[in-house]
């Protein structure tokens, strides 16, 4: 009987829970309907934190309404959402618009724009608040508009950070070189892919160097993982790098003769050459190269040699144990290639068809198979192109990078490849998506996790919002002791013939406990599927180990070292280190190892700077102008955690505004803390008079950090009372340090106004002299280590036009 009663109670509890859940769902659906019913006003929501309720459907509807109204930027709390219009909008990025945002007292009152993000970063450098250096992270999937956004940011800084008349010639020279670096790197590093006509096939972090007057004095570029395989292999419907098509379509008759590129000739490595793109303009690239001091004629001559090489094919040898023959027209084409690369013809042909093996102290020549000859031809093209690209980046850096004594701060622009998922995905896509996972984790750490944890330390009652943590996926790819990367590297070190099926078995054995990896048992091709934050991607194992080894036969390096072209010769002068170990047992530096190390260096830079995130969204998969596909957009919003970001930012804004107007009873302890701090300060001053250092109370150590006069050990004080103290001490020298996003924003709220037009300054609210309490008047300097503050979305920059300052800063600021 008791058992039956228990069962009935459980069922009753379940019924009540279900009724409550249904009631809540009905209430939420009703709120959504009420919000969406006024469709005519949805495009007016310039900040998605104002949306109520915040759900994927309400956010999606607002973005769709704004996109239809040709409004492409929207704030999402601490992030800017940028929708790609897929058509030129020149008036949106004019010089007048740049100057308008730059000179505005409060740019954030203007319409959302990428220039607001740029200006906020620039003013942070002007404010010299730690960390002073800034990073603008532009993220999104391929085709979302990252490259265009980065281009706009470079143009903005090249315009607003060079407005001084001092050394105007030098400033204009640097500005021109910074802007000219962009078309050159895009020509050599971008290509038309399935999802984007101008897809970056490499990552870059551009460091804009500023002097003490915040003037642009130089720049440098760090690049990551050029997709060099594209030179010799293009997936269906995709193209090679832009520079090859620019040469074919923009060359004069004289240049065609020099480059041996007759207009009627077809090239195997130039698919879809009939397709005309805006990026096919050679003139802009040539002008930029000339302005940078690059001899474009010789560089394009090398590229022409690669195109001819792509038309060289091999046929099986007529006799056993003999090298493969060249088929048909290939004999004439390899002559063209040798002439353009200025290498010995016989040695070029030999390095493609014969390999050298070491047997003890003797060398043995062994003919390559037909397929091996093709692999060597492709390897030759890839290694030349990769070295040429690196040389270009180095040359550009040397032409515009300032001496370290000339600059003190920087603003970094990060433009990396977007998340990719194609029909066939291999090592390139794995590395690209790994980089996006790291950036997603950086975003989560800085904006979602940090904000929520800060609310708890502030004493706010808080229910944690669930967000997607991708640590499991990162552990799968890069973790220790076993991960995809570690197993790939181990396979390469074994120095044996790669076996895709065997590697798949090893992955299943070592990594089956990780829920982020899976396998399709019905697939015939060896593969593995990774559950990324942006969706599942299936990776083809075949060829992955070879790409990771990235071997260069020593015979190829030897031929290139004999080139009569001065540049080509210099690129491979020390090439032995790049080639396969002659003894076969030298340490292998794999592609994933190099990429992982360079990415870790990048993340260290990002963590040491103040980040600003822009999320680029691709509104439709076909790149059609002003076309909004809901399913395409919602998938991207969910993948990058935009809805969670809005939820947290909206609640934080509510808390900040609420606390600025009233102090509820769940908050009375704040009053007690403030009073205790002032009383403690009085005790410090009395003890100082007797020249006896007081013993610090453990309770004070838990509160924050303030150092008065000769007190050697910092004493803890909460951020809120520190704000009040700062507002009440106009004549006191204050030394401030801070780390972390929230703390910086808090300090900016207190200290930003003196950097503006002089209309405001920090001043006492109660007295003309002294601090809030006459009993706690300090002597000498005060050193404050700001720890926590609710100031994030309060009025950080008071309205210049009115006489009233509202919000929490009403306590901090007075009109002068």
């Amino acid at each position: 009987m008791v058992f039956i009663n228990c069962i009935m109670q459980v069922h009753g509890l379940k019924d009540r829970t279900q009724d409550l859940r249904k009631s809540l769902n009905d209430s939420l659906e009703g709120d959504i309907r009420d919000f969406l019913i006024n469709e005519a006003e949805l495009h007016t929501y310039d900040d998605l934190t104002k949306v109520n309720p915040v759900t994927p459907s309400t956010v999606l509807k607002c973005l769709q309404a704004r996109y239809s109204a040709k409004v492409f930027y929207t704030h999402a709390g601490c992030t800017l959402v940028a929708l790609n219009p897929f058509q030129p909008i020149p008036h949106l990025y004019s010089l007048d618009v740049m100057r308008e945002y730059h000179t505005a007292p409060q740019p954030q009152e203007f319409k959302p724009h990428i220039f607001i993000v740029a200006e906020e970063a620039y003013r942070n450098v002007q404010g010299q608040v730690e960390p002073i250096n800034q990073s603008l992270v532009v993220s999104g999937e391929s085709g979302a508009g990252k490259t265009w956004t980065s281009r706009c940011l470079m143009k903005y800084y090249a315009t607003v950070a060079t407005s001084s008349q001092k050394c105007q010639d030098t400033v204009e020279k640097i500005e021109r070189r910074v802007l000219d670096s962009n078309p050159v790197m895009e020509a050599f590093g971008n290509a038309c892919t399935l999802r984007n006509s101008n897809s970056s096939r490499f990552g870059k972090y551009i460091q804009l160097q500023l002097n003490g007057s915040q003037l642009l004095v130089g720049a440098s570029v760090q690049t990551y993982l050029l997709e060099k395989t594209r030179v010799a292999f293009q997936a269906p419907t995709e193209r090679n790098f832009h520079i090859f098509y620019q040469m074919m379509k923009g060359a004069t008759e004289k240049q065609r003769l020099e480059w041996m590129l007759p207009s009627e000739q077809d090239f195997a490595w130039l698919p879809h050459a009939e397709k005309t793109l805006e990026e096919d303009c050679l003139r802009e690239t040539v002008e930029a190269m000339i302005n940078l001091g690059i001899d474009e004629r010789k560089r394009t001559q090398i590229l022409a040699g690669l195109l001819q090489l792509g038309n060289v094919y091999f046929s099986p040898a007529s006799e056993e144990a003999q090298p493969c023959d060249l088929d048909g027209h290939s004999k004439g084409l390899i002559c063209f290639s040798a002439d353009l690369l200025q290498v010995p013809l016989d040695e070029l042909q030999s390095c493609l068809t014969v390999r050298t093996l070491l047997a003890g102290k003797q060398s043995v020549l062994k003919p390559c198979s037909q397929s091996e000859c093709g692999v060597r031809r492709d390897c030759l093209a890839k290694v030349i192109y990769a070295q040429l690209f690196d040389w270009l980046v180095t040359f550009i850096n040397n032409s515009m990078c300032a001496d370290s004594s000339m600059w003190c701060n920087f603003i970094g622009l990060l433009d990396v490849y977007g998340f990719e998922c194609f029909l066939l995905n291999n090592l390139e896509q794995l590395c690209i998506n790994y980089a996006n996972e790291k950036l997603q984790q950086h975003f989560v750490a800085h904006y979602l996790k940090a904000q929520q944890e800060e609310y708890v330390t502030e004493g706010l009652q808080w229910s944690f919002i669930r967000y997607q943590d991708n640590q499991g996926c990162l552990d799968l790819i890069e973790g220790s002791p076993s991960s995809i990367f570690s197993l790939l590297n181990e396979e390469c070190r074994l120095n044996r013939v790669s076996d895709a099926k065997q590697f798949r078995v090893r992955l299943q054995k070592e990594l089956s406990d990780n829920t982020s990896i899976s396998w399709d048992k019905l697939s015939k091709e060896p593969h593995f599927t990774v559950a990324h934050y942006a969706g599942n991607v299936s990776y083809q194992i075949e060829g992955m180990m070879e790409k990771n080894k990235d071997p260069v036969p020593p015979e190829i390096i030897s031929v290139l070292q004999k080139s009569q072209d001065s540049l080509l010769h210099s690129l491979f002068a020390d090439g032995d280190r790049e080639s396969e170990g002659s003894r076969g047992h030298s340490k292998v530096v794999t592609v994933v190892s190099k990429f992982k190390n360079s990415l870790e260096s990048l993340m260290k830079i990002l963590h040491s700077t103040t980040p600003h995130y822009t999320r680029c969204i691709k509104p439709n998969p076909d790149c059609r102008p002003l076309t909004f596909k809901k399913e395409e957009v919602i998938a991207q919003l969910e993948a990058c955690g935009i809805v969670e970001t809005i939820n947290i930012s909206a609640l934080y804004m509510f808390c900040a505004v609420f606390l600025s107007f009233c102090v509820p009873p769940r908050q009375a302890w704040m009053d007690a803390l403030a009073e205790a701090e002032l009383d403690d300060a009085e005790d410090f001053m009395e003890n100082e008079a007797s020249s006896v250092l007081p013993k610090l109370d453990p309770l004070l150590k838990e509160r924050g950090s303030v150092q008065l006069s000769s007190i050697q050990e910092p004493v803890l004080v909460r951020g809120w009372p520190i704000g009040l103290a700062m507002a009440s001490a106009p004549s006191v020298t204050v030394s401030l340090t801070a780390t972390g996003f929230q703390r910086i924003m808090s300090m900016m709220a207190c200290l930003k106004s003196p950097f503006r037009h002089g209309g405001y300054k920090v001043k006492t609210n109660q007295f003309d002299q002294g601090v809030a309490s006459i009993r706690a008047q300090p002597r000498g300097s005060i050193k404050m280590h700001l720890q926590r503050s609710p100031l994030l979305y309060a009025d950080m920059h008071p309205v210049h036009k009115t006489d009233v300052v509202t919000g929490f800063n009403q306590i901090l600021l007075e009109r002068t």
Side-chain angles (χ1 to χ4, degrees), residues 94-197:
S94 66
L95 291 177
D96 290 338
V97 174
M98 291 182 193
R99 295 189 184 101
E100 188 177 2
Y101 278 90
H102 180 55
T103 58
Q106 299 179 67
Q108 69 274 18
E109 291 187 349
F110 289 12
K111 293 179 180 179
H113 200 293
I114 189 61
F115 293 160
I116 290 182
V117 179
E119 185 61 24
E120 180 184 1
Y122 188 64
R123 294 190 185 187
N124 282 358
V125 176
Q126 287 182 314
Q128 293 289 293
V129 178
E130 294 287 349
I132 302 171
N133 298 324
Q134 311 287 307
S135 286
L136 281 70
V137 183
V138 183
S139 61
E141 72 167 59
S142 182
K146 301 183 301 300
T147 298
W148 169 257
T149 301
S150 298
R151 199 185 300 170
C152 291
L153 289 168
M154 288 181 67
K155 179 66 176 176
Y156 184 85
Y157 288 124
T159 302
V160 306
T162 56
S163 56
S164 172
Q165 294 302 313
K166 298 178 181 178
C167 305
Q168 192 64 28
D169 292 341
T170 303
V171 167
E172 288 179 356
K173 181 180 177 182
I174 293 297
E175 173 193 355
R176 186 69 260 159
R177 288 183 175 177
V178 168
L179 295 179
D180 282 332
S181 67
N182 218 47
V184 174
M185 286 193 294
E186 284 190 22
F188 282 82
N190 289 22
C192 178
T193 66
L194 179 66
R195 297 180 62 81
N196 184 3
S197 63

Side-chain angles (χ1 to χ4, degrees), residues 693-763:
L693 295 179
K695 184 178 180 180
L696 299 179
D697 189 279
L699 177 63
L700 293 177
K701 287 188 177 182
E702 296 176 1
R703 294 182 186 163
S705 73
V706 105
Q707 188 165 324
L708 298 177
S709 191
S710 60
I711 304 301
Q712 300 300 316
E713 188 173 354
V715 184
L716 291 181
V717 179
R718 287 288 180 186
W720 187 303
I722 286 181
L724 294 175
M726 290 177 67
S728 306
S731 60
V732 176
T733 301
V734 180
S735 173
L736 292 151
T737 60
T739 58
F741 176 76
Q742 294 283 19
R743 301 175 191 177
I744 293 162
M745 296 302 289
S746 302
M747 292 180 63
M748 293 299 289
C750 297
L751 301 179
K752 186 81 171 186
S753 52
F755 297 114
R756 302 291 175 169
H757 297 281
Y760 295 92
K761 67 178 180 180
V762 176
K763 187 180 178 183

Side-chain angles (χ1 to χ4, degrees), residues 1 12 39 151 193 273 278 321-322 325 341-342 528 740:
M1 189 68 177
E39 194 168 341
R151 199 185 300 170
T193 66
E278 179 185 347
Q322 291 297 315
D325 297 321
L341 299 177
Q342 298 185 43
F528 59 89

Side-chain angles (χ1 to χ4, degrees), residues 178 259 277 438 599-600 652 663 694 703 785:
V178 168
W259 301 338
L277 299 177
K438 295 289 281 188
L599 192 59
E600 286 175 352
Y652 192 87
V663 182
R703 294 182 186 163
H785 295 273

